Amino acid sequence: MAAAVASSCCSSTSARPLVRRAGSRSGKLWWAGGVRKARLLSISATAAAPSGVDYAAGTGAAADDDAVAALKVKLLSAVSGLNRGLAASQEDLDRADAAARELEAAAGGGPVDLEGDMDKLQGRWRLVYSSAFSSRTLGGSRPGPPTGRLLPITLGQVFQRIDVVSKDFDNIVDVELGAPWPLPPVELTATLAHKFEIIGTSSIKIIFDKTTVKTKGNLSQLPPLEVPRIPDNLRPPSNTGSGEFEVTYLDGDTRITRGDRGELRVFVIS
């Protein structure tokens, strides 16, 4: 008997259709039937938040990228107008060094993994700043030809051409040599060829091979000239033909290095 009553109750309820009240603009549904008061059927759904997504982490990574990009602009602005460092005062040197250290710290502050980022070294890099040039010699802290003397030497663009497959490391320098009037100045490109190897995780050692000079302008038809190498026994102790430097920042278009004598150099991909 009880079962029959329960069956009758459920069947009478489920037999009545769900309708929307006349004039109602809401999405609520009501039981239809011959009762005075219709009963409201409330239906709600809750969407579960997707799991495994860390939105905060993504926002933080984007903020870090923006900070690094802003610090790169700050560094390049600090060294602009210094003629690769030849016109840098002590205040300029300090400002450039501080901007470089900020960028190095923002990028992680640890050593660059050159073995893992070897492909980022590949290419032709243009020197935009060298703290060593503030000494007013092209050799920086090493012996080199002076600028602005009886034989004026005007430094043009300076490049580093790196081939990670052949291990070639060439310093390429455009130079203009002054000449007595009425002779025109002599334009030439000097290529200092080296081989390189990775030392540790972030340092590079270069070994000098040879120097080749090629004239430009009116004398461009002349063949390249290989400059004779100074015998090792006549070479000053400060010029061993090799050197080391550490890569302290490296991405696809900007590179910061610090030399074995403290020189700060900034390069951009050419």
Side-chain angles (χ1 to χ4, degrees):
M1 182 68 180
V5 171
S7 174
S8 173
C9 174
C10 294
S11 62
S12 63
T13 302
S14 60
R16 287 177 289 173
L18 291 170
V19 296
R20 182 175 285 107
R21 273 187 172 181
S24 174
R25 297 183 180 179
S26 69
K28 297 177 181 179
L29 300 178
W30 303 78
W31 291 115
V35 294
R36 286 187 174 183
K37 293 184 179 179
R39 288 178 293 173
L40 172 63
L41 177 63
S42 177
I43 302 175
S44 63
T46 303
S51 61
V53 179
D54 190 350
Y55 295 102
T59 303
D64 290 343
D65 291 343
D66 291 343
V68 169
L71 290 173
K72 282 171 60 175
V73 173
K74 180 180 179 180
L75 172 60
L76 295 177
S77 298
V79 301
S80 65
L82 299 181
N83 192 16
R84 275 67 52 81
L86 288 168
S89 64
Q90 185 59 51
E91 183 180 353
D92 295 326
L93 295 175
D94 295 340
R95 185 184 302 110
D97 186 74
R101 292 189 184 279
E102 281 188 274
L103 178 54
E104 292 162 350
V112 174
D113 182 9
L114 291 179
E115 291 293 346
D117 292 335
M118 180 71 75
D119 59 322
K120 293 182 180 179
L121 282 175
Q122 178 73 30
R124 183 181 174 96
W125 297 83
R126 179 170 59 87
L127 177 72
V128 295
Y129 173 77
S130 172
S131 62
F133 283 167
S134 65
S135 64
R136 305 301 189 269
T137 73
L138 301 186
S141 56
R142 291 177 169 81
T147 60
R149 299 297 177 89
L150 294 179
L151 184 63
I153 300 177
T154 302
L155 179 67
Q157 296 291 345
V158 179
F159 299 93
Q160 281 185 350
R161 184 173 56 208
I162 304 175
D163 190 323
V164 299
V165 177
S166 64
K167 303 299 183 183
D168 288 330
F169 192 107
D170 299 336
N171 287 321
I172 304 171
V173 184
D174 290 335
V175 178
E176 183 181 278
L177 303 178
W181 186 87
L183 298 176
V186 177
E187 300 178 11
L188 56 86
T189 298
T191 301
L192 288 73
H194 301 76
K195 291 291 184 179
F196 81 93
E197 59 184 67
I198 304 298
I199 305 296
T201 61
S202 59
S203 295
I204 293 178
K205 180 178 181 180
I206 57 174
I207 300 93
F208 177 75
D209 182 20
K210 61 182 179 180
T211 299
T212 304
V213 175
K214 180 69 174 72
T215 53
K216 301 166 59 179
N218 296 332
L219 301 177
S220 59
Q221 70 275 13
L222 296 178
L225 172 65
E226 184 173 331
V227 179
R229 183 171 180 172
I230 301 175
D232 292 342
N233 59 339
L234 298 179
R235 188 177 299 163
S238 59
N239 184 8
T240 62
S242 65
E244 292 186 22
F245 59 87
E246 182 182 10
V247 179
T248 56
Y249 178 83
L250 177 65
D251 63 19
D253 54 33
T254 306
R255 175 164 56 97
I256 300 176
T257 68
R258 294 185 180 273
D260 52 7
R261 302 192 182 192
E263 309 97 333
L264 169 65
R265 294 185 176 93
V266 181
F267 298 84
V268 296
I269 198 71
S270 176

